[in-house]
Amino acid sequence: MKRRDYLWCALNLLLDHEEELGRLCPSCRAQAEEGRCPVCGGAAGEYLGGENAAFDEERFERLMRGETD
């Protein structure tokens, strides 16, 4: 495939998606445009990562400065 073929396919995928959204009522369309988890359908938020409860921030800062315990 050439570059223009990929562009044509991508454009048509976007247009198909818009057409599908256009068939929905306003409340369903708003829900469909929300970020959702692909597994459970729940609202997807930003993943900030877990926190390590055993992590000692003060000790880390001391070690970064070259100090020893």
Side-chain angles (χ1 to χ4, degrees):
M1 287 179 61
K2 297 184 181 201
R3 288 184 192 182
R4 66 176 180 242
D5 296 327
Y6 287 107
L7 179 61
W8 185 85
C9 287
L11 178 62
N12 279 291
L13 285 172
L14 288 172
L15 292 173
D16 290 344
H17 182 68
E18 280 297 315
E19 185 178 318
E20 289 175 16
L21 290 176
R23 293 191 308 230
L24 300 174
C25 70
S27 64
C28 289
R29 182 179 177 133
Q31 187 177 4
E33 290 177 332
E34 291 177 357
R36 295 282 176 178
C37 173
V39 176
C40 70
E46 289 185 30
Y47 177 73
L48 300 176
E51 291 186 23
N52 183 354
F55 185 74
D56 185 356
E57 182 74 32
E58 292 175 12
R59 182 171 183 258
F60 175 75
E61 294 296 329
R62 285 194 312 268
L63 289 172
M64 287 291 293
R65 290 189 301 265
E67 298 175 13
T68 58
D69 287 334

